[in-house]
Amino acid sequence: MKRVITVTVINQSGVLNRVTGLLMKRQFNIESITVGYTEKPGMSKMTFIVNVEDERKVEQIVKQLQKQIDVLTVKDITEKAIVMRELAFVQVLAPPHLRSEINAIVDPFRATIVDSGKNVVTYQVTGDPTKIEAFIDLVRPYGIKELTRTGATAFVRDMQKSADAPQLSLLQ
């Protein structure tokens, strides 16, 4: 099962290497990783997507990451209500006579054209990783010249639904 783990760290040289090294030692395959500054100066947040079959291994890695000297917080947010996004640039082979056809296909994805050449159009698409995959699958028949993805970043939504919280209804 894919797990989404966020790690808040002190932004210092070598922190990323130590954290990814720990995951590597435990034979976790990192499917996606993003790192960026947070709202607090000197801190960064890492978002990992790892494929883990055993729940105990997830608990183990969270505990081991929390012991790292530059790590401030570690959270497995997989089961929470989260916002997750990824960015991709996709260069599609698009001769002039096919561009309107391709644009009609990519329009529902809200992809934007960020560069255009004689026979190539570069699209920027953002969204959930499954949306990115669907976009790539749709333009693949036209020919993809180049593709790059940022990896997913995520955080927990502000309002979490609670099973025991009373639900308001307008139909009472």
Side-chain angles (χ1 to χ4, degrees):
M1 174 182 186
K2 290 185 180 183
R3 308 299 296 189
V4 181
I5 299 171
T6 62
V7 183
T8 304
V9 298
I10 297 172
N11 189 8
Q12 294 183 20
S13 178
V15 175
L16 177 62
N17 191 35
R18 286 191 293 280
V19 170
T20 56
L22 180 62
L23 291 166
M24 184 184 70
K25 284 181 200 174
R26 301 291 180 245
Q27 298 182 341
F28 283 87
N29 183 40
I30 301 170
E31 293 187 9
S32 172
I33 180 175
T34 59
V35 182
Y37 295 112
T38 68
E39 72 284 0
K40 297 177 183 168
M43 290 187 200
S44 291
K45 183 171 278 186
M46 302 176 181
T47 304
F48 296 95
I49 297 180
V50 293
N51 199 355
V52 183
E53 297 302 325
D54 186 356
E55 280 293 316
R56 291 174 291 167
K57 283 190 172 187
V58 174
E59 291 173 19
Q60 177 188 28
I61 198 66
V62 167
K63 288 177 183 174
Q64 290 174 346
L65 284 169
Q66 288 172 333
K67 292 178 184 177
Q68 295 295 307
I69 192 163
D70 295 319
V71 172
L72 302 171
T73 62
V74 180
K75 296 176 185 172
D76 178 0
I77 62 172
T78 309
E79 305 298 326
K80 305 220 183 244
I82 63 174
V83 176
M84 182 169 27
R85 295 291 183 269
E86 182 176 354
L87 168 94
F89 289 133
V90 185
Q91 282 188 335
V92 179
L93 299 176
H97 68 280
L98 289 177
R99 288 188 185 185
S100 61
E101 178 182 328
I102 295 169
N103 287 338
I105 290 171
V106 304
D107 188 51
F109 290 87
R110 296 187 180 136
T112 56
I113 296 172
V114 293
D115 191 35
S116 183
K118 185 175 179 181
N119 289 306
V120 175
V121 174
T122 303
Y123 294 96
Q124 171 186 297
V125 61
T126 59
D128 187 88
T130 56
K131 175 184 173 183
I132 306 295
E133 288 296 328
F135 178 87
I136 292 167
D137 289 344
L138 277 177
V139 297
R140 184 169 276 124
Y142 294 96
I144 295 176
K145 182 177 179 189
E146 191 172 349
L147 164 70
T148 187
R149 296 172 74 162
T150 60
T153 190
F155 63 86
V156 176
R157 290 186 179 274
D158 185 43
M159 300 296 291
Q160 294 289 308
K161 284 189 176 181
S162 174
D164 48 82
Q167 298 296 315
L168 297 177
S169 173
L170 297 174
L171 305 171
Q172 291 185 5

